[in-house]
Amino acid sequence: MRPTFHLKTLVVAVAAFSVASIASAAGLDRSGQDITTFLQDGLYAEAVYTYIDADVTGNDNAYIGGDNNAYIQGNKTGDVAESYDFFRYGVKADINDTFSVGILYDEPFGAAASYSGDNNFVARGDLDATINAASDGALPNYAQAEGQFDALQQAVADGATLTPQQQAQFQALGSALAIAQAEQATKGEGTNVEVRSESITAILGMKLGENKNFQVYGGPVAQRVRADVKLRGIAYGPATGYTSHISPDQDYGWLAGMSYSKPEIALKAALTYRSEIDHKMQIAEIYPVAEALGINPVQSNTMEMSTPKSVNIDFQTGINPTTIATAKVRWVPWSDFEIVPPLYNEVSKGSYGPDGLALVGYDDDQWQVELGMAKRLTPALALSGTVGWDSGAGDPTTSLGPIDGYYSAGLGAKYNVTENWAVSAGGKYLWFGDAKGQLPTKKIVGDFQDNDGYILGVKLSYQAQQNFN
């Protein structure tokens, strides 16, 4: 006869997983958009704090030339990943034995990277080195470039008609000089990016079937996003000195899913789909080299950006009356995601065709898998362990987040302070995948290897049974 796993004896173990269970390295993913709060039984509420510290170091590219794939190990970048933290809150209640409601808050997407030191991602203000890099080694110093440009400019002033070759040279020299001047104007500043988001999800669920084992659920999602980007150093070529501020914007999407539960064996399974959310954002941009191309270098525009859709699968089942196994799977199509600032894109069209370039984009979709087990040791204490894998979103990847997925291992514990109140704590160690950093032009600008990080989390939760008989 198959044993019955009473939920009361297992619930202490379940929630130990979700403290530091998902924290993503692919694309801009952060929280994993967890909805397990809504899948809890009875009245449930939680507050979760997560801290992430990643060590991402590498070397810039010392190669100067026209081969985008060529790489020669250059100077060390130092740690480019800034530590960050975020909160997650949730509350769920049953209206009756059929309907449930929930409110979830999380910070789903983000980025925090900052370069410093002596490398190609920091503006050194070296005019000769900048001209040399901007011309792929054809011009050894600033004085030579300035002399050639002045000679052509004087010829035009004297009424001469430049040949197509001279005209192209004139424009290239003007661009190279503008790049050098932008590099000098931002001397000492490092490349920096910060993206922050917030999300509130309202969920209504309806249980179906004779034993209420099935549930369908869905609801609206409000999402707020803001960002700041600074590109500095000769690694970014004509984009050095580029600065943008994306003002906070709030837009809306939706969530839908279905779940199945079998309490006698502590089985729960859920499939959740989140829609992409389209944002129309106000962006202020400064692009110094644009002036040399006859484009206003300081502009304010409206930019469209869509945060990606996603699919989450959550599963748990009892192994014995004190042990639970869990699995989480997440898919995000980062290959469909782009950030395309209007001025940045307009400047790039002159060299890269009518569509221009996106500031940020990814080649691959993200797959994430996490497996775990939790064991109830005493009536009040449970321990849990997890192992995980994240596919990343492609290698090479953007230099603003040079990580290609990870492997992870984590431990967690939960202690029931009272019958209803509990505190949980957990940690996870991450082994990041090696990645080449590239520009939107596909030029390799850095190599980042042997990196790691860790996650710490703490949670306060409350749970009480609701009886409608």
Side-chain angles (χ1 to χ4, degrees):
M1 181 177 178
R2 193 168 186 179
T4 296
F5 302 156
H6 296 291
L7 195 61
K8 183 67 175 177
T9 63
L10 282 166
V11 71
V12 69
V14 177
F17 281 103
S18 59
V19 178
S21 62
I22 294 288
S24 306
L28 302 177
D29 220 0
R30 278 197 171 172
S31 73
Q33 297 180 298
D34 186 85
I35 69 144
T36 52
T37 295
F38 183 74
L39 302 178
Q40 301 299 319
D41 296 288
L43 176 64
Y44 181 81
E46 68 176 22
V48 183
Y49 171 77
T50 303
Y51 174 82
I52 300 179
D53 192 338
D55 184 14
V56 180
T57 63
N59 296 82
D60 66 18
N61 191 353
Y63 169 79
I64 294 177
D67 185 353
N68 282 351
N69 297 315
Y71 176 79
I72 299 174
Q73 182 173 303
N75 294 335
K76 294 183 179 297
T77 64
D79 185 6
V80 307
E82 295 188 320
S83 60
Y84 63 90
D85 56 5
F86 59 87
F87 289 90
R88 187 174 79 240
Y89 307 102
V91 61
K92 173 262 178 183
D94 295 328
I95 300 173
N96 52 42
D97 62 358
T98 299
F99 293 98
S100 301
V101 294
I103 296 288
L104 309 177
Y105 167 88
D106 74 340
E107 301 177 26
F109 305 114
S114 180
Y115 287 85
S116 60
D118 182 19
N119 56 72
N120 291 343
F121 302 98
V122 178
R124 301 187 183 111
D126 186 332
L127 294 176
D128 290 345
T130 306
I131 285 292
N132 191 243
S135 63
D136 291 333
L139 295 168
N141 58 61
Y142 185 85
Q144 184 183 53
E146 190 174 40
Q148 291 182 20
F149 180 80
D150 289 345
L152 289 170
Q153 190 174 47
Q154 185 61 50
V156 172
D158 292 340
T161 299
L162 301 182
T163 65
Q165 183 179 2
Q166 289 176 319
Q167 184 64 37
Q169 182 187 22
F170 185 53
Q171 292 177 346
L173 287 167
S175 177
L177 290 169
I179 293 169
Q181 291 159 6
E183 174 81 355
Q184 188 177 57
T186 56
K187 183 178 180 179
E189 296 181 15
T191 296
N192 183 277
V193 59
E194 182 179 16
V195 179
R196 303 285 290 192
S197 68
E198 299 172 287
S199 178
I200 296 178
T201 303
I203 307 178
L204 173 65
M206 182 175 68
K207 296 181 177 66
L208 306 170
E210 182 179 352
N211 297 316
K212 306 294 185 181
N213 294 111
F214 293 92
Q215 181 178 215
V216 293
Y217 53 88
V221 180
Q223 186 182 90
R224 187 176 177 87
V225 180
R226 63 179 177 85
D228 289 281
V229 176
K230 292 181 179 180
L231 304 183
R232 302 291 186 266
I234 61 175
Y236 294 100
T240 185
Y242 174 82
T243 302
S244 64
H245 170 69
I246 300 174
S247 299
D249 175 77
Q250 181 170 305
D251 276 286
Y252 304 90
W254 53 274
L255 166 153
M258 63 181 68
S259 66
Y260 173 78
S261 66
K262 194 171 184 180
E264 56 267 30
I265 59 170
L267 185 149
K268 292 183 181 180
L271 174 67
T272 306
Y273 174 86
R274 285 180 179 267
S275 73
E276 66 179 23
I277 298 180
D278 300 325
H279 291 269
K280 289 187 177 180
M281 319 173 79
Q282 296 299 312
I283 179 171
E285 299 176 85
I286 301 173
Y287 202 149
V289 78
E291 189 170 13
L293 304 175
I295 301 171
N296 182 2
V298 181
Q299 294 187 18
S300 295
N301 293 294
T302 298
M303 180 185 77
E304 295 185 358
M305 183 189 76
S306 297
T307 54
K309 59 189 175 184
S310 64
V311 175
N312 281 26
I313 299 173
D314 295 279
F315 177 84
Q316 74 167 55
T317 187
I319 302 299
N320 60 49
T322 61
T323 307
I324 282 180
T326 67
K328 292 176 177 285
V329 178
R330 177 168 167 82
W331 171 77
V332 186
W334 284 108
S335 60
D336 295 336
F337 174 83
E338 288 185 327
I339 299 177
V340 188
L343 177 56
Y344 182 93
N345 181 255
E346 181 182 3
V347 172
S348 69
K349 288 178 180 179
S351 301
Y352 299 99
D355 294 330
L357 296 173
L359 176 63
V360 175
Y362 300 96
D363 292 332
D364 298 337
D365 296 343
Q366 172 195 14
W367 284 94
Q368 187 179 74
V369 179
E370 185 170 87
L371 305 177
M373 188 168 292
K375 175 72 174 179
R376 175 177 172 266
L377 301 181
T378 72
L381 177 65
L383 297 180
S384 64
T386 63
V387 293
W389 168 78
D390 186 298
S391 68
D395 177 29
T397 189
T398 172
S399 61
L400 302 179
I403 292 172
D404 184 28
Y406 63 74
Y407 290 94
S408 70
L411 292 173
K414 180 185 178 185
Y415 182 77
N416 271 21
V417 180
T418 69
E419 182 179 358
N420 302 117
W421 289 94
V423 61
S424 306
K428 181 194 288 185
Y429 187 80
L430 309 173
W431 294 267
F432 294 128
D434 298 341
K436 291 282 199 309
Q438 69 177 3
L439 303 183
T441 63
K442 304 302 181 181
K443 182 178 178 65
I444 300 298
V445 291
D447 187 23
F448 300 82
Q449 299 187 23
D450 302 323
N451 293 309
D452 57 11
Y454 65 88
I455 305 168
L456 300 174
V458 62
K459 172 167 64 177
L460 179 66
S461 61
Y462 174 88
Q463 187 162 28
Q465 296 299 314
Q466 293 179 279
N467 193 339
F468 298 101
N469 294 330

